[in-house]
Amino acid sequence: MNILEWSFLSGVLTATAPVLLAALGGLICQVAGVFNIALEGQLLWGAFTAVVVSDLTGSAWAGVAGAAVATLLFAGLLSAAAVSLRADPIVVAVGLNLLALGLTAFLMRQIFGSGGTYTSPDLAGLPTLAELGLDVPVLGPQSPLVPVALLLVVAAAWWLGRTRSGLRARGVGQHAEAAAAVGLRVGGYRHGVTLAAGVLCGLAGAQLALGNVTLFSEGMSAGRGWIAVVAVMLSGVRPYRLLLACLLFGIAEAVGFRLQGAGLPQQAADAAPYVITLVALVLAAVAGRRRRENA
Amino acid sequence: MRITPALAGTAALFALAACGGGGEAGTTPASENPPAKSIILITPNPVGTNSFLQLGVKGAEAAAKDLGASFKLYESKDPTSIAQNVDAAVRAKPTVIVGISFSFDDVFSTVPKQHPGQQFLQVDSCAKDQAPNLACVSFKEHEAAYLAGVEAGLLTASGQIGVVAALDTPFIHRWIDPFFAGARSVKPEVTGTPLYVGGNNPFSDPARAKSQAQTLTGRGVDVIAAAASGGNQGVFEAVAASGGKAFGVDVNQCAQSPGNVIDNILKHVDVAEAAAIKEIVAGRTGGVKVYGLAEGGVGVTALAEDATASGCTVGDNPEVLAKVRQVRDDIVAGKTTVADPLQG
């Protein structure tokens, strides 16, 4: 069996893309000191609204835009409660995750008159890059949102390291009182990143529901938002490390699929992402200690 | 898009009823006078578009109509509400209380013993500790999977077939091992590969199901049986892109992906359930009744009279239809036996 073939790398990117987009949202929140664990719910909400808008308009791009706007509004709940009203963001996020699960299932019955899985010929999926004329290996079978996700990693790194607002956002996250003392609007930065994370989760949901597949099914985020939260924690809030962490999960999933074919039990293949998380955490801790000892 | 306020309203009512624990919906009175006979059906989850539960409701409704009995549906939304619904049903003292699926294994181990005068029926599973007033209906899914395998064996060009299943459990192997065995019965050199969706939501993760199916098609597999429940549509998308073909499960899924689905591994829950309810009402209570091909409890769409008009691609292959019907007759006559993965 040839594990390192183009279709394998392509499978890795497909599995990585929704997680990466959501994780970028989590990362910019983390930078400004908002621990955002509502990624799972926002991802699901994004997937649902993308399918609804695409189905209504017949345009996948309208679906992507609709998901971005709808999830921005959804993230507004988190931003209003956690930043303006100073509620515990963890508690609010748990509520939002449950709300997304119930609300999408309920609205699905209201709008489509059915539960479970919805698909229809009216539902437009995102085109692949190959269909748009860019027929290259690995990227060819992907939707245009996949290279967008990769470019957004570069953009996030540039924003955090090279721009005034990015550096200030980091200041807000590292020491809110000090940032406020030098005149930064702490709440403003936190509102901004929480809402931007909503947009990114909307894109993640659109990629999942219109890119990876062309349908909506209840609970289809299936833990990808939680994997994104873990990726943010593994990354040490650095965009390129975040990309590596997300790719690691994509590889774990794709390798797991292949190893199943080679006879590894499904349960063991399922455990792969979690084993990789543990190993990565241990390696990161060991590397951190060695660096401190050398210093 | 289809917006049906009536349906949506009903769904909302169902959701409310499920929250109440002992709620009721879909009452169908059979006559002006309160009928002597009554049937209460309890589902483990909201019915919605769950095709399996819809068949369960259809079967109980049909039985109620034939018997002139009243019918009530109690929908549960989690294990706690299942127990509450069973309690509410016992208090209502109907002729038969029907529970669908293995979710009732626990509660039907204890409740029937506490109420020896009440008749119970469990569909698609059986409580371990079966009381004399609990009847069970189970299915030989493996016989239908074998027939689908015969079709797959006849129609595969590459000689490689696969199954994308939700989980690697002994019960789900009833859709896997006999499928491959059926294919090898007509083409011995066929190789079969199962892949499992797994993850956090194995029964409703079309994205992972599609990735699994793509892994299979990437390796030259051209016929895939989809046994991934809510993930099946992902499998259909994958075969549509690769030029392969798929099999649906439980109900006719050919229309969900026109031209890409060969046939379906069917379980006629409604037929078996209606028959079992009538048996109980006629006084033949308790015991386990197993429905296979011989009893019409399982099958494939190709066996239907209107197979050519079913929208399934198997209808385009008269020689495959003929072969499947012949194998069905062989199984019913006992000339061919299908190994049950659950029996080791």
Side-chain angles (χ1 to χ4, degrees):
Chain A
M1 191 176 63
N2 183 7
I3 277 202
L4 273 176
E5 55 199 8
W6 293 130
S7 75
F8 171 76
L9 294 175
S10 182
V12 169
L13 271 189
T14 310
T16 304
V19 176
L20 178 60
L21 282 164
L24 276 171
L27 180 119
I28 57 171
C29 286
Q30 190 79 1
V31 161
V34 180
F35 186 41
N36 188 344
I37 62 162
L39 304 178
E40 174 78 2
Q42 294 180 30
L43 180 60
L44 184 63
W45 180 248
F48 177 71
T49 49
V51 165
V52 169
V53 176
S54 168
D55 194 69
L56 279 172
T57 60
S59 157
W61 291 111
V64 173
V69 172
T71 316
L72 174 108
L73 295 175
F74 194 76
L77 294 174
L78 177 65
S79 147
V83 182
S84 301
L85 304 174
R86 293 174 189 275
D88 186 334
I90 305 267
V91 176
V92 179
V94 168
L96 286 179
N97 285 333
L98 293 172
L99 175 69
L101 198 58
L103 194 61
T104 51
F106 174 71
L107 289 177
M108 187 176 179
R109 284 167 176 77
Q110 294 294 307
I111 297 174
F112 299 126
S114 70
T117 303
Y118 177 77
T119 187
S120 139
D122 301 342
L123 185 59
L126 288 166
T128 64
L129 288 171
E131 284 164 12
L132 295 174
L134 191 69
D135 196 2
V136 293
V138 184
L139 272 179
Q142 310 291 340
S143 89
L145 284 183
V146 174
V148 167
L150 298 174
L151 290 175
L152 280 172
V153 173
V154 181
W158 175 76
W159 180 62
L160 289 173
R162 296 271 181 272
T163 67
R164 182 175 291 180
S165 67
L167 290 166
R168 284 179 173 172
R170 283 163 64 181
V172 166
Q174 276 169 11
H175 203 305
E177 287 85 357
V182 298
L184 294 184
R185 285 172 46 246
V186 173
Y189 278 97
R190 289 187 171 166
H191 277 303
V193 292
T194 312
L195 295 175
V199 173
L200 287 164
C201 284
L203 295 180
Q207 166 62 24
L208 182 65
L210 298 177
N212 287 24
V213 288
T214 311
L215 56 86
F216 178 79
S217 80
E218 283 176 36
M220 74 182 291
S221 48
R224 289 177 179 85
W226 293 110
I227 295 280
V229 171
V230 175
V232 171
M233 295 202 274
L234 272 180
S235 72
V237 211
R238 290 189 183 86
Y240 291 117
R241 283 199 197 174
L242 183 81
L243 174 63
L244 281 182
C246 292
L247 278 173
L248 205 58
F249 287 116
I251 291 169
E253 191 170 307
V255 168
F257 288 171
R258 307 244 152 180
L259 290 181
Q260 258 193 50
L264 186 78
Q266 165 239 324
Q267 291 82 354
D270 260 14
Y274 311 103
V275 172
I276 286 180
T277 308
L278 273 177
V279 171
L281 280 172
V282 170
L283 288 180
V286 169
R289 202 162 81 191
R290 197 165 293 154
R291 215 176 303 130
R292 273 195 303 280
E293 280 167 359
N294 289 345
Chain B
M1 188 172 66
R2 201 163 55 92
I3 303 180
T4 49
L7 251 184
T10 323
L13 265 180
F14 280 1
L16 284 174
C19 293
E24 58 190 65
T27 321
T28 45
S31 63
E32 301 290 341
N33 303 319
K37 296 193 213 64
S38 57
I39 298 164
I40 293 180
L41 173 69
I42 310 170
T43 66
N45 299 300
V47 176
T49 52
N50 183 326
S51 48
F52 175 69
L53 294 180
Q54 282 177 342
L55 283 182
V57 174
K58 193 176 150 198
E61 279 176 345
K65 199 174 164 212
D66 291 352
L67 293 165
S70 72
F71 169 65
K72 283 181 182 163
L73 174 65
Y74 291 6
E75 293 183 277
S76 319
K77 59 169 193 167
D78 53 42
T80 320
S81 62
I82 289 178
Q84 287 169 350
N85 275 336
V86 171
D87 281 346
V90 167
R91 279 197 299 277
K93 292 190 172 48
T95 319
V96 189
I97 296 174
V98 187
I100 301 184
S101 92
F102 61 87
S103 304
F104 288 82
D105 282 1
D106 279 345
V107 68
F108 277 7
S109 299
T110 53
V111 175
K113 287 204 186 101
Q114 294 158 4
H115 304 275
Q118 173 68 52
Q119 290 303 325
F120 294 86
L121 171 65
Q122 189 177 1
V123 177
D124 203 30
S125 182
C126 203
K128 280 217 171 57
D129 205 357
Q130 196 185 359
N133 55 330
L134 170 66
C136 294
V137 166
S138 64
F139 296 88
K140 295 183 188 168
E141 293 91 353
H142 46 292
E143 293 187 344
Y146 185 89
L147 284 187
V150 169
E151 296 176 19
L154 292 172
L155 293 170
T156 175
S158 68
Q160 297 187 59
I161 64 173
V163 178
V164 174
L167 282 175
D168 188 1
T169 65
F171 185 54
I172 291 176
H173 268 271
R174 277 195 163 179
W175 283 265
I176 301 169
D177 307 350
F179 181 71
F180 297 150
R184 281 193 283 266
S185 74
V186 291
K187 201 178 273 180
E189 70 277 16
V190 166
T191 58
T193 312
L195 286 182
Y196 304 94
V197 176
N200 286 329
N201 198 357
F203 290 95
S204 185
D205 195 337
R208 274 175 79 102
K210 185 174 178 181
S211 298
Q212 295 287 45
Q214 282 170 333
T215 308
L216 287 173
T217 56
R219 291 165 58 182
V221 170
D222 65 349
V223 178
I224 302 177
S229 192
N232 279 10
Q233 191 66 29
V235 177
F236 300 157
E237 285 188 9
V239 295
S242 74
K245 293 277 185 278
F247 281 87
V249 79
D250 279 353
V251 293
N252 186 347
Q253 298 190 306
C254 295
Q256 288 182 23
S257 186
N260 301 314
V261 183
I262 297 175
D263 200 345
N264 306 280
I265 302 168
L266 300 174
K267 187 144 91 174
H268 301 298
V269 178
D270 51 341
V271 177
E273 185 185 270
I277 290 173
K278 287 179 196 166
E279 294 256 303
I280 292 172
V281 171
R284 290 185 288 279
T285 57
V288 178
K289 189 125 174 62
V290 181
Y291 287 81
L293 280 176
E295 296 83 10
V298 299
V300 288
T301 311
L303 297 174
E305 297 288 321
D306 57 347
T308 44
S310 61
C312 300
T313 63
V314 72
D316 307 334
N317 298 278
E319 71 284 7
V320 176
L321 287 178
K323 176 70 180 169
V324 166
R325 286 173 187 173
Q326 180 222 319
V327 174
R328 188 262 317 260
D329 294 342
D330 286 352
I331 293 174
V332 170
K335 277 192 265 178
T336 303
T337 47
V338 180
D340 178 0
L342 283 183
Q343 306 295 326

